[in-house]
Amino acid sequence: MPKSKRSKLVSLTKVSKKTREHKNALLAEVQQNAEKWKYCWLFEVGAMRNTHLKTVRNLWKDSARIFFGRAAVMAKALGTTPEEEHRPGQHKLAQQIKGQVGLLFTDTEPQEVIEWFDDFRQADFARSGNLASRTITLPVGPVMRVHSDPPEPFPHNEDPQLRKLGLTTTMKRGVPTLEAPHQVCEKGKTLTSEQAQLLKLIGEKMVIFQVALLARWDSATGLVTQTEGGGFSAEHVVGEGEAEDEQMDEE
């Protein structure tokens, strides 16, 4: 009788060995870049989206190297104590590597880096756990897709989904229609899963993907400089669990 695939054993020693080798390779790569570039920036991301982070990677691929995720590995690579630091002064930066943060290695001068990231913002759809940035109320009449140009009503076959997300609709000429205004969300309130899904369906973007520069290490002096006004409030980061742990070394 052939063995069931469900009873197949997986060697945990092989898995752990592969993971350990992968971490060691990442650690070495962070250290190599710490030796190559003039500056090392610590950053965090608001409204994390892999798509937008990859855009940042691509735009900086010729003049920087970016690592994101695996905070413990990045901190260990730089060294969290004066005795362990890879290069002079890096332990002061490594001690700040906590949570979903990343490292940007570059030779580009600080003011240019600051100005570039101040300007780079990408609107996106909110997720469950985000705070509503504004109150959205759907008016009486056909339920419209606001992201269409021009806006167009939802087709009849999407009416069940709209109802599932809390809308009380009736069909008029084959179009899902509201007989009374419907408040989707209220400014400042935490979004539920249903509210986030409905906002995405109608095309309302409520969050901004943005990179906040927290601190900078300078290879010439070994000094770590905190970025004025760097960092996001907790609600700007909450609910965006898309860490690129397995792709932190992606070019």
Side-chain angles (χ1 to χ4, degrees), residues 113-251:
V113 175
I114 292 172
E115 291 175 357
W116 192 93
F117 281 103
D118 278 347
D119 289 338
F120 187 84
R121 305 184 182 203
Q122 297 290 317
D124 214 310
F125 298 107
R127 293 176 178 171
S128 174
N130 286 139
L131 297 183
S133 60
R134 58 190 181 277
T135 298
I136 298 293
T137 301
L138 301 181
V140 173
V143 183
M144 306 294 288
R145 289 169 162 167
V146 297
H147 57 76
S148 300
D149 187 18
E152 59 183 21
F154 278 84
H156 67 89
N157 61 340
E158 293 197 34
D159 186 59
Q161 178 68 4
L162 295 175
R163 286 175 168 271
K164 184 179 179 181
L165 296 177
L167 296 188
T168 302
T169 58
T170 58
M171 296 296 291
K172 290 189 175 181
R173 297 181 179 179
V175 175
T177 304
L178 292 173
E179 299 289 346
H182 177 91
Q183 186 179 88
V184 179
C185 60
E186 184 178 347
K187 182 179 180 180
K189 296 293 183 65
T190 301
L191 295 172
T192 65
S193 176
E194 290 76 14
Q195 289 173 317
Q197 289 181 60
L198 183 54
L199 288 169
K200 186 172 183 178
L201 275 179
I202 64 178
E204 290 284 358
K205 295 182 178 181
M206 279 203 171
V207 298
I208 302 294
F209 170 92
Q210 188 177 2
V211 173
L213 301 171
L214 304 177
R216 176 186 77 252
W217 172 80
D218 187 331
S219 64
T221 63
L223 297 178
V224 172
T225 305
Q226 300 301 126
T227 304
E228 184 177 352
F232 297 113
S233 59
E235 59 268 19
H236 191 67
V237 182
V238 70
E240 310 301 337
E242 278 196 15
E244 292 199 343
D245 285 353
E246 297 303 324
Q247 301 177 24
M248 64 172 282
D249 60 334
E250 180 180 319
E251 290 286 1

